[in-house]
Amino acid sequence: MTSTSLATPENRTASPATMQALATLNDRLAAKPAAHLRVEKLSIAYSTARGPFHAVDDVSFEVKPGTNLGLVGESGCGKSTVIKALIGLQPEGTKVSGQALLDGQEILGLSERALQDVRWTKISLITQSAMNSLDPVYCIGDQICEAIQAHESVSRATAWARAEEMFALVGLPASRLHDFPHQFSGGMRQRTVIAMALALNAGMLLADEPTTALDPIMQSQIMSRIRGIHEHMRRSMILVTHDIAVVAETCENTVVMYAGKVAEKGPTTDVLARPLHPYTMGLQNAFPRLPVKGQPRQALISIPGIVPNLLRPPPGCRFAGRCPFATERCHIEAPAVTAVGAQSAACHYIDRAPEFREAAARPETWRKLGAGA
Amino acid sequence: MSDLHTSRPAIDPDARPIVEARDLKTHFQGRSGIFSALAGVKPPTAKALDGVDLRIRKSEIVGLVGESGCGKSTLGMSLVRMYQPTDGRILYLDDDITRAEGRRLKDYRRQAQIIFQDPYSSLNPRLTIGQVIEEPLVIHDIGNAAERRERVVRALDLVRIPAVDNIDRYPSDLSGGQRQRVAIARALVLEPTFIVADEPVSMLDVSIQASVLELLDELSRKLGLAILYISHDIATVGYICDHVAVMYLGRIVEEGKAEDILSAPLHPYTQRLMAAIPRMDPGDTAGRAEIRGDVPSPMNVPQGCRFSSRCPYVADLCRAVEPELGQHPAGQRVRCHIYGSEGAKRFPDLQRPEWGRITEVTDAGTLAQASS
Ligand SMILES: Nc1ncnc2c1ncn2[C@@H]1O[C@H](COP(=O)(O)OP(=O)(O)O)[C@@H](O)[C@H]1O
Ligand SMILES: Nc1ncnc2c1ncn2[C@@H]1O[C@H](COP(=O)(O)OP(=O)(O)O)[C@@H](O)[C@H]1O
Ligand code: SF4
Ligand code: SF4
Ligand SMILES: [Mg+2]
Ligand SMILES: [Mg+2]
């Protein structure tokens, strides 16, 4: 096994010459550096019949090389919108402003041609819907080979050998490369999508809810693959999920989005141990935990209300309609971002966070706002 | 309203169950392809539910967990008689309704309701909220228009959706959490005694799951409902369930008090299922044993213990004899030869599985291990 081979498939089919070419390819791919991404003041408005829909508003964050960033928040908060813009998949007519520098190169507003060079090789995507993007009439191996050969000048045999390694990496037998997508279970298809996303060892992996709706065993299988690869290859990743425990296990840094804005961000341990923003506190206390024998358990809270309609964003703090600590000021004046060490949050009352944290752990704090969330 | 952390009142174990399954089996006949038909081969049978015993009492919430494909929904659907069981019995208040038909089946369906996972597609978008909830009353020909309206309002009250504001709105006007409440109101309007809630919060944002769980908890206490709560979000089970059953490939492999099962599981499968749940506290993952592969197909159930194809402790005895669900001194019941079994007595010569003696490396380690 060469130093850069990731996993050894059972029953390799490659000839010695192909193995040599594969080793060269693997070395070249492994030499790719981990990506650095800086997103500055990213705003995205979809064009709709009823006017611009400001799905993302003034979002900034950084992914340092070789680190994972967790992007969390309820559905509709703009997480996928951010991811799609980073890989140039926003629908026609969408207004994107701000900057996204991938290793110093602006990746917003690239031409379709320029995007071809970036996708797969520098930045790759795993989504749930990617399962449906597998072409039903080609066998899976052909689809992976095609992606590899589009970016690396290697023979088909070499590409196939690389595909075999990728399959071994995600725990699928190499023989199944000959199968068609419909022959795979949901979990196997999801692993295939991961294998494809990793095939060219892009420096930046965008994973948009890669395990949502899967049962815990499959989720754990897939996340531990992704984590293992990340540690092994020192890649960078943005992981979108609603599961903050997955973020706690996987990501050094966390961005909490609410209604298109960053509510809070910082090192994951700080954000989860000492949240500054009431929304983060709510998400954390709503998260179900396993009981620990003999220990009393904290009550589960729910956050009443829904994310505001961003056709007409509310004037003040976007969370004001659901925040148990909102004052008159919150409804009028949008809070600025305040930093506390490496952590920051957009709340007027960041200095009262300790007091809020205590109150936010009690269900009645959230219940006052109204029933029927 | 009750908080989810206050403990639920104890259920009398001797109380008569509302619903009971005895060795219940539901098998699906695979479709026969043209080739197998020509060759005269019988199409394979999927043993989705393959011998389950379960009791749910008044005011009790029983949790049912396990990987997808292990037969949870099949059990739920069979218990409410939306699937016809192949074998075994379903008793409703000691009345055998396994094969009830006509009037008796209709009566049973009034008592036994099911709520599904998807609050977006389970409600007819063309009906108003009021009509959605009224529909079962119309189907069962209950009351006149005014009486039905009154019951609809009462059901909305129970799920805490203000009737005046919402009765004439459409499901699309509501949030996911509210829609799931409407689905629950629809199930409640017939005043059932038993409800199957099949993944009722799995599609909801975490931020609103608690409100639906609280509602189920409150309904079981207030109305005395017997509830089967099916979920792959295992942590949620701990908040509302009295009793938990773990399913694997059509059978229960462990059951007992929710706290015991979730915090001190005994069966090798349950242990891995619990270990797979991500933890909030960093460092908890260390040494996590991760189970490899997928659940075998119910068309091809392994010989002996059903978990033997994935169990790291598997021994000859496991591959030969399926263990029974035995009582363990810790309180729960567990189906594994490690804890002793009839099979171990009957076949003393076969090698028995033991704790710590790993016979098959079925636990996938980290990538480093996998690649070295
Ligand atoms: N193509 C589109 N046109 C108009 N609105 C959209 C479009 N795609 C998404 N949205 C809206 O943008 C908001 C953010 O969506 P999304 O980024 O998918 O959120 P998340 O991934 O956090 O659930 C939502 O309100 C959604 O309805
Ligand atoms: N109507 C059906 N016809 C044939 N097979 C079915 C049917 N319903 C479920 N199955 C099979 O039975 C097994 C158990 O399914 P299910 O009860 O849905 O599991 P779970 O709810 O635990 O995910 C699966 O292998 C599934 O494919
Ligand atoms: S600014 Fe006001 S409404 Fe917004 S999170 Fe802070 S306290 Fe709540
Ligand atoms: S030890 Fe044997 S009986 Fe117990 S779960 Fe493993 S295979 Fe089954
Ligand atoms: Mg999304
Ligand atoms: Mg199911």
Side-chain angles (χ1 to χ4, degrees):
Chain A
M1 196 169 107
T2 67
S3 59
T4 48
S5 168
L6 283 172
T8 315
E10 301 157 33
N11 318 318
R12 261 190 206 282
T13 56
S15 69
T18 304
M19 286 305 296
Q20 192 54 51
L22 173 65
T24 313
L25 171 66
N26 283 350
D27 286 339
R28 191 161 64 235
L29 292 176
K32 283 189 188 179
H36 178 214
L37 178 70
R38 239 172 72 189
V39 173
E40 287 288 346
K41 296 192 181 324
L42 177 63
S43 294
I44 303 165
Y46 290 113
S47 112
T48 75
R50 288 189 285 168
F53 185 96
H54 305 276
V56 171
D57 187 3
D58 196 19
V59 164
S60 304
F61 58 82
E62 183 178 10
V63 187
K64 296 231 171 76
T67 67
N68 295 334
L69 178 87
L71 193 53
V72 300
E74 280 159 293
S75 38
C77 281
K79 306 180 299 294
S80 297
T81 302
V82 168
I83 296 297
K84 280 188 231 153
L86 290 178
I87 198 161
L89 288 175
Q90 69 278 12
E92 190 111 6
T94 305
K95 262 222 172 74
V96 180
S97 64
Q99 278 192 317
L101 300 174
L102 184 70
D103 296 325
Q105 183 201 357
E106 176 61 70
I107 53 168
L108 297 179
L110 288 182
S111 69
E112 198 51 40
R113 239 227 79 101
L115 275 172
Q116 297 288 323
D117 288 341
V118 172
R119 277 187 207 147
W120 292 89
T121 58
K122 293 190 174 161
I123 193 161
S124 63
L125 177 68
I126 304 173
T127 62
Q128 284 270 303
S129 54
M131 296 205 279
N132 309 326
S133 67
L134 293 172
D135 194 325
V137 300
Y138 293 101
C139 80
I140 298 219
D142 282 345
Q143 299 189 48
I144 301 181
C145 285
E146 195 190 329
I148 294 172
Q149 286 184 285
H151 295 285
E152 294 286 335
S153 48
V154 291
S155 70
R156 206 191 103 92
T158 309
W160 191 274
R162 171 86 184 166
E164 285 184 344
E165 280 195 357
M166 290 299 113
F167 252 41
L169 194 62
V170 298
L172 292 171
S175 58
R176 303 292 305 254
L177 280 169
H178 296 282
D179 284 6
F180 291 85
H182 74 268
Q183 291 170 292
F184 275 22
S185 70
M188 291 169 75
R189 259 180 280 172
Q190 190 63 350
R191 277 182 269 176
T192 302
V193 168
I194 295 172
M196 289 178 87
L198 299 173
L200 288 161
N201 203 25
M204 170 67 64
L205 184 63
L206 306 178
D208 190 352
E209 315 238 14
T211 59
T212 300
L214 298 180
D215 69 51
I217 288 189
M218 205 171 293
Q219 161 164 309
S220 143
Q221 285 173 346
I222 287 172
M223 282 315 303
S224 78
R225 295 279 169 191
I226 295 178
R227 266 195 299 269
I229 291 154
H230 158 81
E231 276 154 28
H232 215 68
M233 302 300 299
R234 220 175 86 84
R235 305 288 83 189
S236 315
M237 170 165 72
I238 302 180
L239 174 67
V240 176
T241 173
H242 66 268
D243 191 331
I244 53 177
V246 169
V247 169
E249 290 188 344
T250 313
C251 302
E252 290 90 344
N253 295 293
T254 298
V255 171
V256 181
M257 276 185 79
Y258 185 73
K261 283 187 157 298
V262 173
E264 175 160 7
K265 65 183 174 187
T268 304
T269 38
D270 297 345
V271 171
L272 294 184
R274 283 178 304 282
L276 297 173
H277 197 285
Y279 182 59
T280 317
M281 299 173 198
L283 282 184
Q284 201 202 21
N285 292 322
F287 194 82
R289 289 156 215 245
L290 284 174
V292 179
K293 224 178 163 107
Q295 265 179 40
R297 188 175 36 187
Q298 229 186 332
L300 208 56
I301 68 113
S302 55
I303 308 176
I306 54 171
V307 181
N309 184 339
L310 296 180
L311 273 176
R312 265 161 264 94
C317 171
R318 294 194 173 178
F319 191 50
R322 304 169 76 189
C323 179
F325 313 113
T327 63
E328 214 168 309
R329 178 182 175 204
C330 302
H331 288 277
I332 302 162
E333 191 189 327
V337 175
T338 313
V340 177
Q343 199 178 352
S344 64
C347 173
H348 288 307
Y349 303 108
I350 224 168
D351 46 331
R352 290 176 62 190
E355 169 200 337
F356 287 174
R357 281 198 289 269
E358 220 167 277
R362 294 191 295 269
E364 59 277 14
T365 303
W366 298 89
R367 221 171 263 147
K368 280 192 303 227
L369 283 153
Chain B
M1 188 169 47
S2 57
D3 284 346
L4 285 174
H5 63 313
T6 54
S7 59
R8 297 171 47 81
I11 305 288
D12 175 7
D14 297 324
R16 179 171 72 152
I18 302 256
V19 176
E20 180 172 3
R22 288 198 191 156
D23 200 22
L24 196 64
K25 296 183 183 171
T26 302
H27 296 175
F28 298 105
Q29 203 62 53
R31 242 170 296 148
S32 76
I34 179 122
F35 293 109
S36 53
L38 287 175
V41 183
K42 245 184 77 192
T45 304
K47 299 179 175 176
L49 183 68
D50 205 24
V52 161
D53 296 279
L54 193 75
R55 307 155 146 236
I56 310 172
R57 297 170 185 82
K58 193 169 152 54
S59 300
E60 185 176 38
I61 308 184
V62 172
L64 186 63
V65 302
E67 262 162 302
S68 44
C70 68
K72 304 182 297 295
S73 297
T74 305
L75 175 56
M77 294 285 273
S78 302
L79 285 177
V80 299
R81 283 291 316 272
M82 303 226 339
Y83 286 162
Q84 175 60 52
T86 315
D87 204 356
R89 300 209 289 157
I90 303 169
L91 304 180
Y92 174 71
L93 296 173
D94 296 336
D95 186 15
D96 188 335
I97 52 87
T98 324
R99 271 162 237 292
E101 280 175 21
R103 182 80 242 163
R104 270 186 80 218
L105 179 57
K106 208 168 172 190
D107 283 349
Y108 177 60
R109 290 220 170 116
R110 248 179 94 167
Q111 299 297 331
Q113 292 288 313
I114 186 162
I115 304 161
F116 297 103
Q117 168 173 15
D118 187 355
Y120 299 91
S121 65
S122 65
L123 303 177
N124 184 340
R126 279 185 292 274
L127 299 184
T128 63
I129 306 301
Q131 288 165 334
V132 162
I133 301 171
E134 186 188 7
E135 198 178 38
L137 294 173
V138 176
I139 292 169
H140 284 270
D141 198 17
I142 294 167
N144 58 32
E147 285 159 359
R148 287 203 294 263
R149 174 111 185 162
E150 197 186 312
R151 287 177 74 150
V152 169
V153 170
R154 230 182 311 147
L156 279 168
D157 267 358
L158 277 172
V159 299
R160 294 194 305 278
I161 289 186
V164 272
D165 305 336
N166 293 288
I167 203 161
D168 294 321
R169 293 170 81 195
Y170 288 86
S172 58
D173 298 333
L174 303 182
S175 69
Q178 285 172 323
R179 271 185 251 201
Q180 199 54 291
R181 286 163 182 278
V182 169
I184 296 173
R186 180 182 154 96
L188 290 176
V189 76
L190 290 169
E191 298 175 2
T193 44
F194 169 50
I195 284 188
V196 174
D198 191 351
E199 310 269 7
V201 300
S202 303
M203 301 263 293
L204 301 179
D205 268 308
V206 173
S207 55
I208 51 174
Q209 285 183 357
S211 67
V212 173
L213 294 175
E214 256 169 34
L215 179 62
L216 292 175
D217 181 57
E218 189 184 323
L219 292 172
S220 79
R221 295 178 194 226
K222 209 150 92 184
L223 307 180
L225 279 176
I227 299 179
L228 180 67
Y229 174 74
I230 300 175
S231 181
H232 66 240
D233 294 327
I234 295 167
T236 62
V237 166
Y239 289 87
I240 58 169
C241 295
D242 307 289
H243 188 92
V244 173
V246 183
M247 262 184 100
Y248 187 76
L249 211 50
R251 298 202 88 168
I252 290 172
V253 295
E254 183 167 359
E255 65 171 331
K257 286 215 309 256
E259 198 196 42
D260 294 340
I261 303 283
L262 298 187
S263 63
L266 295 173
H267 195 282
Y269 175 66
T270 320
Q271 291 178 345
R272 276 151 191 79
L273 189 62
M274 297 307 154
I277 299 167
R279 312 293 155 119
M280 204 85 109
D281 321 295
D284 251 11
T285 17
R288 170 188 290 181
E290 183 203 306
I291 194 170
R292 241 186 219 169
D294 301 325
V295 190
S297 159
M299 294 195 231
N300 201 355
V301 175
Q303 279 262 312
C305 170
R306 282 160 202 249
F307 190 52
S308 58
S309 62
R310 295 166 92 192
C311 181
Y313 311 111
V314 60
D316 293 344
L317 179 63
C318 310
R319 294 197 189 89
V321 188
E322 180 169 25
E324 70 280 5
L325 197 56
Q327 182 65 51
H328 187 275
Q332 58 256 60
R333 288 172 5 115
V334 54
R335 188 189 291 282
C336 171
H337 289 304
I338 288 178
Y339 302 98
S341 63
E342 288 303 315
K345 285 181 214 148
R346 268 194 297 132
F347 300 94
D349 299 339
L350 287 180
Q351 188 196 32
R352 293 174 52 173
E354 277 172 41
W355 275 131
R357 192 179 66 209
I358 304 214
T359 53
E360 293 273 334
V361 188
T362 52
D363 286 341
T366 59
L367 181 80
Q369 272 170 284
S371 63
S372 57

